[in-house]
Amino acid sequence: MNKFLSLFFFVLASRLLGQSVEHYEKLALASFYSKDFPTSLLYSEKIIQLDKEHIASLFFAGESARLMNDLSKAEAYLEQIPDDAKAGFLAATDYHLGLVKQGLEKRDEAKDYYERYLNNHYNEKDIYSILATNAIHSLATGDDWIEQGSYLDKLPGNINTENADMAPLRYADKLFYSSVLEDNYLPTKNKKKKKKMVKRPVSRIYEAQFNKEARESSVNPRSAILNASNISLMPDASRMYYTLCADENPTSQEQCTIWYRNRFYDGEWGPGIKLPEQINTRNYTNTQPSVAYDWTLKKYVLYFVSNRPGGKGGKDIWCSEIGSDDSFGEPYPIPLNTERDEITPFFHQSTQTLFFSSEGWESKGGFDIFHAKKNARDDWQAPVNMGPYLNTKGDEFYYSYHTSSKFAYFVSGKMSRGVVESDIFEARVFVDFQLRVFDNQTKSPIHNVSVEIENTQTGAKGKYTTGDDSHDAKIKLEPSTKYRITIDARGFQPQTLELSTEDISYFLLMEKNIFLKPYARP
């Protein structure tokens, strides 16, 4: 009887354990894909306590810790993943371990993990392969390498497919994007007037929450011929702009017109309305809309791409001011255009910054992503290349920034003769603040400096020490935030400075030299 009872309780405990693991696994995944990394780490660690060999949880615990910049904990979890498990969504483990090791100043180990990734997964179109190669080069030459790269990830398989994926735009916890659907058949007639189904790919708009399967948007056209893509939303999501293209190539962005739909009170989208002829000029393509409020003009402005006459050449970015009566003003080209193509504009309303991709401004190769802040009508700051944080020798385009999560989304791949091979990536945006401290009198470096960072909006504080052999601190700050920074060193008067990153929606290195006054000696 005791044996039967023991067996009964063993089976019961096993079932309860399985239910607990499954429950925690769902919570961990939901938290991770919602970007709540502390909660994801908590539940992943609970699973590991119940099952030390639960490989997926080791990965999500390590990734959550890495994205929280807890590199020691990330190292401990990611190193436990066996080599034979590094496939599928675990394939990037060695690349991420390289980033972690480099962040921990373990340069030889970092190089080893980058090489492991390249040996097992190298592909010239794979952005991790490009970044790993760049990292190995920087380690060999002693050049500083971009730490922001550790916050870049390709979106999972519920969003990225084997086909071209593009045009990401995040609203709340939902990502809108476009993807090419290969299993699309058109009825045609041959010479004998018999119907025949012919396969022809088409672009469709999708919606996805990060931990759930994507679904086709209700705004897609019924026509199997038209390609739909390029979502842009009003700030309150009361209206959606999008593109319909008639070209047979679903990614070429030719023969396109811009449409919009208004949202009903019940949340459903109304009928499609084609924008007027001054926007959709006949015999030219008009595509990739982006709408936002312009503080200098005090009205909404529609940015879009067109190859119509009057621009600098190729495809240019144009804009049209939207009146209070929903009228669209006569479009005019922005002064940032070049003789080459400028595409995929995204105007970030909070910082009044335009992001776009260009072949005409100096780039690393192909299309690079640039940003330019608007000062007034037709008055723009010079475009700035986003640098190796995002841009590679391939093509990068469709940058958008989600203010509340501080995540950027963009597309990386290859664009050749209108054919796009691409995936959607996300990057956690930070501002690298590099602080160097000197003696005000002798101008010599001061070591072992204490730096206290206070977020004046939330009251949260952090403390950093430069160490006995260093006079500089490199601290990650968040965009859209106000900080109070206090610098203190033994024998010197402390100094406090106010710093704002409110106008930042992209990767940035800020540098500051501080000179402390020594206390007067008695």
Side-chain angles (χ1 to χ4, degrees), residues 128-147:
Y128 292 143
S129 297
I130 296 169
L131 292 172
T133 302
N134 291 344
I136 291 170
H137 173 75
S138 71
L139 288 168
T141 59
D143 296 337
D144 288 335
W145 189 69
I146 329 90
E147 294 181 14

Side-chain angles (χ1 to χ4, degrees), residues 453-471:
I453 309 289
E454 180 185 0
N455 183 326
T456 58
Q457 295 162 315
T458 65
K461 294 183 179 181
K463 201 165 188 177
Y464 305 84
T465 304
T466 62
D468 295 330
D469 58 349
S470 177
H471 73 296

Side-chain angles (χ1 to χ4, degrees), residues 230-295:
N230 305 319
I231 288 291
S232 180
L233 292 170
M234 294 288 282
D236 60 355
S238 61
R239 175 178 291 181
M240 171 192 290
Y241 291 85
Y242 61 101
T243 298
L244 296 179
C245 304
D247 193 70
E248 289 189 13
N249 180 350
T251 62
S252 66
Q253 300 286 305
E254 303 291 344
Q255 302 179 39
C256 300
T257 52
I258 301 173
W259 296 63
Y260 72 83
R261 292 175 185 256
N262 292 320
R263 186 188 288 274
F264 292 143
Y265 290 108
D266 61 2
E268 296 297 321
W269 293 106
I273 300 173
K274 186 178 179 180
L275 268 64
E277 191 168 335
Q278 70 262 35
I279 306 295
N280 289 315
T281 304
R282 290 184 181 182
N283 301 321
Y284 297 97
T285 195
N286 305 281
T287 185
Q288 299 168 359
S290 176
V291 64
Y293 191 78
D294 188 305
W295 296 344

Side-chain angles (χ1 to χ4, degrees), residues 32 85 131 200 229 297 307 314 366 453 478 512:
F32 185 85
L131 292 172
R200 174 179 151 184
S229 60
L297 299 175
N307 60 354
I453 309 289
E478 292 192 344
K512 181 77 173 178

Side-chain angles (χ1 to χ4, degrees), residues 48-298:
I48 294 168
Q49 290 173 3
L50 297 171
D51 182 359
K52 293 182 180 179
E53 297 182 355
H54 198 281
I55 294 173
S57 293
L58 290 172
F59 178 80
F60 285 110
E63 283 295 274
S64 297
R66 182 178 68 86
L67 292 164
M68 292 164 59
N69 211 29
D70 189 344
L71 299 183
S72 296
K73 183 171 284 190
E75 177 187 44
Y77 285 126
L78 293 176
E79 281 188 330
Q80 295 181 55
I81 298 174
D83 288 340
D84 58 6
K86 295 173 182 176
F89 73 92
L90 298 176
T93 300
D94 285 338
Y95 170 73
H96 289 152
L97 267 168
L99 295 170
V100 169
K101 296 289 187 180
Q102 189 164 355
L104 293 170
E105 299 296 329
K106 299 179 180 180
R107 300 172 69 86
D108 290 340
E109 293 182 49
K111 180 175 178 290
D112 179 58
Y113 276 108
Y114 289 136
E115 289 177 343
R116 287 192 201 181
Y117 179 82
L118 293 174
N119 289 337
N120 295 316
H121 304 288
Y122 178 77
N123 185 319
E124 63 178 5
K125 297 176 182 177
D126 172 33
I127 195 168
Y128 292 143
S129 297
I130 296 169
L131 292 172
T133 302
N134 291 344
I136 291 170
H137 173 75
S138 71
L139 288 168
T141 59
D143 296 337
D144 288 335
W145 189 69
I146 329 90
E147 294 181 14
Q148 287 93 334
S150 63
Y151 299 95
L152 182 149
D153 280 291
K154 184 163 67 173
L155 289 180
N158 65 321
I159 293 173
N160 280 313
T161 67
E162 295 180 354
N163 304 317
D165 305 291
M166 53 193 176
L169 179 72
R170 182 173 173 181
Y171 190 88
D173 64 345
K174 183 180 292 185
L175 189 77
F176 295 89
Y177 66 101
S178 303
S179 185
V180 173
L181 177 65
E182 291 284 355
D183 295 331
N184 177 55
Y185 292 89
L186 302 178
T188 61
K189 293 181 180 180
N190 57 21
K191 293 180 179 180
K192 296 181 180 180
K193 296 184 178 180
K194 291 184 177 180
K195 285 188 177 181
K196 182 181 179 182
M197 302 301 288
V198 177
K199 191 174 182 179
R200 174 179 151 184
V202 67
S203 174
R204 287 287 176 259
I205 297 167
Y206 289 83
E207 305 172 11
Q209 290 179 308
F210 289 90
N211 60 330
K212 296 181 180 179
E213 288 300 315
R215 64 181 181 86
E216 282 196 43
S217 173
S218 61
V219 304
N220 283 312
R222 294 181 180 179
S223 170
I225 298 175
L226 292 175
N227 298 296
S229 60
N230 305 319
I231 288 291
S232 180
L233 292 170
M234 294 288 282
D236 60 355
S238 61
R239 175 178 291 181
M240 171 192 290
Y241 291 85
Y242 61 101
T243 298
L244 296 179
C245 304
D247 193 70
E248 289 189 13
N249 180 350
T251 62
S252 66
Q253 300 286 305
E254 303 291 344
Q255 302 179 39
C256 300
T257 52
I258 301 173
W259 296 63
Y260 72 83
R261 292 175 185 256
N262 292 320
R263 186 188 288 274
F264 292 143
Y265 290 108
D266 61 2
E268 296 297 321
W269 293 106
I273 300 173
K274 186 178 179 180
L275 268 64
E277 191 168 335
Q278 70 262 35
I279 306 295
N280 289 315
T281 304
R282 290 184 181 182
N283 301 321
Y284 297 97
T285 195
N286 305 281
T287 185
Q288 299 168 359
S290 176
V291 64
Y293 191 78
D294 188 305
W295 296 344
T296 60
L297 299 175
K298 297 187 177 359

Side-chain angles (χ1 to χ4, degrees), residues 194-455:
K194 291 184 177 180
K195 285 188 177 181
K196 182 181 179 182
M197 302 301 288
V198 177
K199 191 174 182 179
R200 174 179 151 184
V202 67
S203 174
R204 287 287 176 259
I205 297 167
Y206 289 83
E207 305 172 11
Q209 290 179 308
F210 289 90
N211 60 330
K212 296 181 180 179
E213 288 300 315
R215 64 181 181 86
E216 282 196 43
S217 173
S218 61
V219 304
N220 283 312
R222 294 181 180 179
S223 170
I225 298 175
L226 292 175
N227 298 296
S229 60
N230 305 319
I231 288 291
S232 180
L233 292 170
M234 294 288 282
D236 60 355
S238 61
R239 175 178 291 181
M240 171 192 290
Y241 291 85
Y242 61 101
T243 298
L244 296 179
C245 304
D247 193 70
E248 289 189 13
N249 180 350
T251 62
S252 66
Q253 300 286 305
E254 303 291 344
Q255 302 179 39
C256 300
T257 52
I258 301 173
W259 296 63
Y260 72 83
R261 292 175 185 256
N262 292 320
R263 186 188 288 274
F264 292 143
Y265 290 108
D266 61 2
E268 296 297 321
W269 293 106
I273 300 173
K274 186 178 179 180
L275 268 64
E277 191 168 335
Q278 70 262 35
I279 306 295
N280 289 315
T281 304
R282 290 184 181 182
N283 301 321
Y284 297 97
T285 195
N286 305 281
T287 185
Q288 299 168 359
S290 176
V291 64
Y293 191 78
D294 188 305
W295 296 344
T296 60
L297 299 175
K298 297 187 177 359
K299 60 179 65 176
Y300 285 98
V301 174
L302 173 71
Y303 293 86
F304 64 100
V305 169
S306 180
N307 60 354
R308 67 183 65 196
K312 288 288 186 68
K315 290 179 179 175
D316 289 320
I317 298 173
W318 294 69
C319 58
S320 170
E321 299 168 17
I322 304 175
S324 57
D325 58 351
D326 273 352
S327 61
F328 292 86
E330 191 64 31
Y332 54 92
I334 65 172
L336 306 178
N337 293 316
T338 69
E339 293 179 355
R340 304 290 295 277
D341 285 347
E342 277 69 44
I343 60 172
T344 63
F346 171 77
F347 193 83
H348 184 243
Q349 183 170 296
S350 299
T351 59
Q352 297 288 283
T353 301
L354 180 71
F355 297 90
F356 64 99
S357 291
S358 174
E359 286 183 311
W361 293 92
E362 185 175 352
S363 71
K364 289 183 162 292
F367 283 98
D368 274 6
I369 301 171
F370 294 80
H371 66 81
K373 189 174 179 62
K374 187 177 186 185
N375 300 319
R377 183 188 179 104
D378 292 332
D379 180 11
W380 297 82
Q381 294 180 2
V384 177
N385 190 301
M386 296 283 278
Y389 309 126
L390 302 181
N391 291 319
T392 69
K393 292 181 180 179
D395 295 307
E396 280 71 41
F397 38 98
Y398 280 118
Y399 182 97
S400 64
Y401 179 69
H402 186 244
T403 305
S404 61
S405 71
K406 300 179 176 63
F407 271 86
Y409 297 88
F410 69 102
V411 171
S412 181
K414 190 64 181 173
M415 186 183 297
S416 176
R417 295 181 181 179
V419 178
V420 177
E421 299 175 3
S422 59
D423 286 310
I424 298 172
F425 289 78
E426 65 178 359
R428 180 71 159 85
V429 174
F430 283 94
V431 175
D432 267 341
F433 180 59
Q434 186 154 6
L435 185 70
R436 301 182 183 90
V437 186
F438 301 88
D439 185 318
N440 184 52
Q441 294 182 354
T442 66
K443 312 305 181 194
S444 59
I446 301 174
H447 296 165
N448 200 20
V449 177
S450 174
V451 182
E452 183 179 90
I453 309 289
E454 180 185 0
N455 183 326

